[in-house]
């Protein structure tokens, strides 16, 4: 430290003023580059993100109604999910009065799948039956339909939960 104070003592007051001013200027530039500039950049980035986030929020609010419908539908299907898949299929087929057209039922290739063969089934009733199954959380994995006579079809389908 003594060497520094000796060197400063040698300098004239004008040189000390220039040196002090340059040091303060360098300190100011360093503070600007390391603190102020990054802070301002982040602030500007956040200001530009707000409209996009507000748009996303509006979209999420508009989708809330659809989520409620799907949630209610899922709960309806979950009420019967404790029953075996074959039992649900039998019940719904009897409700829609299409059970007589079912000629064969067997387990599918995967768990929670059932393969169903139907001959001379009423196509409109089959569609209503699919709606009933869909409401119970059962969906069609595969279906092959052959028309036999007016509004009568032969169907090979795989249903799954």
């Amino acid at each position: 430290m003594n060497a520094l104070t000796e060197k400063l003592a040698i300098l004239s007051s004008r040189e000390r003023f220039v040196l002090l001013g340059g040091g303060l200027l360098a300190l100011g530039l360093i503070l600007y580059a390391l603190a102020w500039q990054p802070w301002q950049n982040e602030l500007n980035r956040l200001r530009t993100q707000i409209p996009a986030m507000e748009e996303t929020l509006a979209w999420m609010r508009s989708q809330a109604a659809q989520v409620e419908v799907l949630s209610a539908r899922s709960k309806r299907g979950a009420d019967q999910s404790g029953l075996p898949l074959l039992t649900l299929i039998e019940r719904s087929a009897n409700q829609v009065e299409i059970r007589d057209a079912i000629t064969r039922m067997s387990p599918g290739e995967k768990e929670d799948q059932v393969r169903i063969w139907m001959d001379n089934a009423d196509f409109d009733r089959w569609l209503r039956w699919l709606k009933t199954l869909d409401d119970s959380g059962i969906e069609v994995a595969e279906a092959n339909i052959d028309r036999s006579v007016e509004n009568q079809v032969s169907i090979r389908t795989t249903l799954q939960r």
Side-chain angles (χ1 to χ4, degrees):
M1 256 322 205
N2 289 339
L4 182 61
T5 53
E6 287 176 15
K7 287 183 181 179
L8 285 177
I10 296 172
L11 297 175
S12 69
S13 64
R14 184 175 188 181
E15 290 172 333
R16 276 186 254 153
F17 178 73
V18 169
L19 188 59
L20 181 63
L24 289 175
L25 182 63
L27 180 63
L29 289 174
I30 290 171
L31 286 175
Y32 176 80
L34 296 178
W36 184 260
Q37 184 70 32
W39 181 58
Q40 288 297 315
N41 289 342
E42 183 66 13
L43 187 61
N44 288 334
R45 185 186 66 80
L46 291 174
R47 283 182 180 149
T48 59
Q49 277 186 339
I50 288 174
M53 289 180 172
E54 286 174 342
E55 184 178 316
T56 301
L57 178 61
W59 176 82
M60 291 172 82
R61 285 182 176 157
S62 72
Q63 297 301 309
Q66 185 177 359
V67 169
E68 288 177 17
V69 168
L70 292 174
S71 177
R73 181 176 168 193
S74 174
K75 287 178 185 174
R76 275 197 319 263
D79 292 341
Q80 300 178 357
S81 66
L83 296 173
L85 185 57
L86 282 173
T87 304
L88 291 172
I89 291 171
E90 285 277 344
R91 283 185 183 175
S92 62
N94 285 329
Q95 287 174 348
V96 181
E97 299 174 358
I98 199 167
R99 175 62 181 102
D100 293 339
I102 297 175
T103 56
R104 181 176 161 201
M105 285 195 281
S106 69
E109 296 173 6
K110 298 178 184 174
E111 188 176 327
D112 277 345
Q113 278 190 342
V114 174
R115 299 206 63 190
I116 298 175
W117 286 259
M118 303 175 96
D119 290 324
N120 296 323
D122 182 270
F123 186 69
D124 294 331
R125 282 188 185 166
W126 182 71
L127 290 176
R128 280 189 305 235
W129 183 48
L130 290 182
K131 173 67 174 130
T132 304
L133 291 172
D134 189 50
D135 291 343
S136 298
I138 300 169
E139 60 185 19
V140 176
E142 181 181 324
N144 294 317
I145 303 168
D146 294 317
R147 182 177 177 185
S148 49
V149 292
E150 182 81 25
N151 207 34
Q152 299 291 310
V153 291
S154 294
I155 302 168
R156 309 294 175 259
T157 187
T158 303
L159 302 174
Q160 68 184 14
R161 193 182 313 216

